[in-house]
Amino acid sequence: METKPLKLNTKRTIIIGFAFFGILMLWQVYNTYCPLFLTDILVNKYGGKDTDYQYIVGVMMALDNLFALFMLPLFGALSDKTNTKFGKRMPYIVIGTILSAIVFPLIAVMYTIGSLVGVIVMMCLTLIFMQMYRNPAVALMPDITPKPLRSKANAFINVVGYVGAILGGAIAMVIPFKSYKGNPGGLLIPFIVSCVAMIVTIVILFLKVKENQIHVEMADDMKRGEEESELEEKIVVDAPLTKKNKISLIIIIVAVFLWFASFNSVETFWSSYGQNHLNISNYSLFTIVLTVASLAAFIPAAIVADKIGRKWTIVIGLGLVIIALMLISFVTKSPDTFLKDGVVYNKTPFALYPFFAICGVGWAFINCCSYPMVVELAHGKNVGKYTGLYYAASMAAQTLTPIAAGLLVYKQGAWDILFVYATCVMAAALIVFIFVNNVKTKAVKIKKGFEAFDQD
């Protein structure tokens, strides 16, 4: 008798993605405004020009991520061992979201009163509370999704998350820092809107996803998923990883660190780069183009992964991002400026739009498959632990790379070094990742193409 192919419950996966929606919306607002808040306060207090302080800004942007480096594995391991009537992940998701929503707007409040210490403290508190629920929120998907379907599930979750990022970018475009920095109420709006969106989406998640009930319903499919894993060597519950699997895990984690170090250097400093180097106010539009391109590419990336495997899908993504970063570096090295009424303006380099789009597509190919590759090495009892490893690597990168990139900008005394740095680090990620070798080339039995996204 032929076994029925595995299929993804699309509706439930999208609802699980609501937590990621809030995370990325908040993250987009955070990364857009916080570097500008810090730079503006420092320049006003101590004088000088913006490039004089980017090393300090980088350190400040990195300090909050230091908390995440320790808290993500901690809350991943804690949620693995938690057992409540609401499930093991849901209590962390709900409590962490509420605390984040309370503290996040206070960053803007501290900026409006000119308190550098206040901004830094509120940034740190926001990140602490976000990390409390980020790991459990992400681990919820592999908890109830069979291994062969996780790239597809991760694609849908990223699509939902990137809609949040797009909305965050759109808000930043409508309320540009340069135009609103004398308007305290205006700068508070993006923070409040993102918090309201977080609360609404988490309420829906809590009401619609009954974690314990789904575990029981999915037990047989989860068992089949273990048998049809992409790994050459099987994972055994409560047993250590084989040598081959352990080497692959180390390689993947190092590569994750490198590609997040590259991407986050641009993500952290792009608003400052656009405003201070390119002299443009619509820098958020480029971020939106990148995010929309990623949004459009996630589902195709999952389909490609079914055809050629997750490893080679990521390799394609890394290649696309490297090409895009190189081209952006070349185009923005010497901005085409003009003088009007005594003010220097930049002729917006329209060539950047397709380059940012290419970068977005590549980033989708990477992110669609990277987290599933890590939790492929986990079993049902330690998904939170492996989720913690993945995010510890990404957060370690986001802790160190603002300092490294900010120092380079400071030493160089110019912004054009930023994309050179990002390109070189992304290339290093490709070189490391290519050595992963414990994946099957044989396809597993799942529904093909869009049929695999059927709803129950």
Side-chain angles (χ1 to χ4, degrees), residues 166-369:
I166 290 170
L167 290 177
I171 292 170
M173 187 171 64
V174 172
I175 306 177
F177 172 77
K178 193 175 241 183
S179 301
Y180 281 79
K181 69 177 182 178
N183 180 354
L187 288 176
L188 193 58
I189 290 172
F191 292 80
I192 293 175
V193 170
S194 59
C195 289
V196 170
M198 279 199 324
I199 295 295
V200 171
T201 52
I202 292 303
V203 168
I204 296 171
L205 174 63
F206 179 76
L207 294 176
K208 294 294 185 180
V209 176
K210 306 301 180 184
E211 193 178 338
N212 290 337
Q213 179 183 331
I214 296 170
H215 276 298
V216 175
E217 295 171 356
M218 293 296 297
D220 290 341
D221 282 354
M222 295 300 291
K223 185 177 179 181
R224 278 186 57 200
E226 290 290 340
E227 296 168 356
E228 298 177 2
S229 165
E230 279 193 10
L231 298 173
E232 289 182 351
E233 297 181 354
K234 298 295 183 184
I235 302 299
V236 180
V237 177
D238 295 327
L241 292 177
T242 65
K243 182 178 179 180
K244 194 171 187 179
N245 284 339
K246 189 177 293 185
I247 291 171
S248 286
L249 176 62
I250 293 169
I251 291 171
I252 294 168
I253 291 299
V254 171
V256 166
F257 172 87
L258 290 169
W259 64 58
F260 270 101
S262 169
F263 194 82
N264 186 254
S265 66
V266 176
E267 188 178 38
T268 298
F269 289 107
W270 172 247
S271 56
S272 296
Y273 188 93
Q275 178 173 292
N276 299 312
H277 179 62
L278 298 179
N279 292 306
I280 57 175
S281 60
N282 65 337
Y283 44 80
S284 293
L285 188 57
F286 294 97
T287 305
I288 292 173
V289 168
L290 185 151
T291 308
V292 170
S294 292
L295 188 69
F298 274 116
I299 303 302
I303 295 172
V304 170
D306 275 348
K307 299 290 185 183
I308 65 174
R310 291 170 184 154
K311 174 183 176 178
W312 296 110
T313 304
I314 291 175
V315 169
I316 291 171
L318 288 167
L320 289 173
V321 174
I322 290 166
I323 291 169
L325 291 174
M326 288 175 62
L327 293 171
I328 293 170
S329 176
F330 177 77
V331 169
T332 61
K333 184 175 178 62
S334 300
D336 185 10
T337 59
F338 65 95
L339 189 66
K340 182 179 179 181
D341 299 328
V343 179
V344 177
Y345 293 91
N346 183 272
K347 296 178 180 177
T348 303
F350 287 99
L352 288 183
Y353 289 112
F355 300 158
F356 270 78
I358 292 169
C359 190
V361 171
W363 193 237
F365 273 56
I366 295 167
N367 279 295
C368 180
C369 300

Side-chain angles (χ1 to χ4, degrees), residues 312-445:
W312 296 110
T313 304
I314 291 175
V315 169
I316 291 171
L318 288 167
L320 289 173
V321 174
I322 290 166
I323 291 169
L325 291 174
M326 288 175 62
L327 293 171
I328 293 170
S329 176
F330 177 77
V331 169
T332 61
K333 184 175 178 62
S334 300
D336 185 10
T337 59
F338 65 95
L339 189 66
K340 182 179 179 181
D341 299 328
V343 179
V344 177
Y345 293 91
N346 183 272
K347 296 178 180 177
T348 303
F350 287 99
L352 288 183
Y353 289 112
F355 300 158
F356 270 78
I358 292 169
C359 190
V361 171
W363 193 237
F365 273 56
I366 295 167
N367 279 295
C368 180
C369 300
S370 56
Y371 174 63
M373 282 192 78
V374 173
V375 291
E376 194 87 352
L377 293 155
H379 53 72
K381 293 183 179 180
N382 63 2
V383 169
K385 174 184 174 182
Y386 279 76
T387 301
L389 288 175
Y390 175 84
Y391 279 105
S394 68
M395 282 297 168
Q398 293 175 74
T399 300
L400 297 175
T401 203
I403 299 173
L407 180 60
L408 282 173
V409 171
Y410 169 70
K411 290 292 186 182
Q412 187 82 1
W415 280 101
D416 55 315
I417 192 66
L418 179 65
F419 281 94
V420 176
Y421 167 84
T423 303
C424 292
V425 177
M426 193 66 73
L430 175 59
I431 293 169
V432 169
F433 183 75
I434 205 75
F435 288 99
V436 173
N437 65 356
N438 72 326
V439 292
K440 292 177 183 175
T441 55
K442 182 181 177 182
V444 297
K445 185 179 180 182

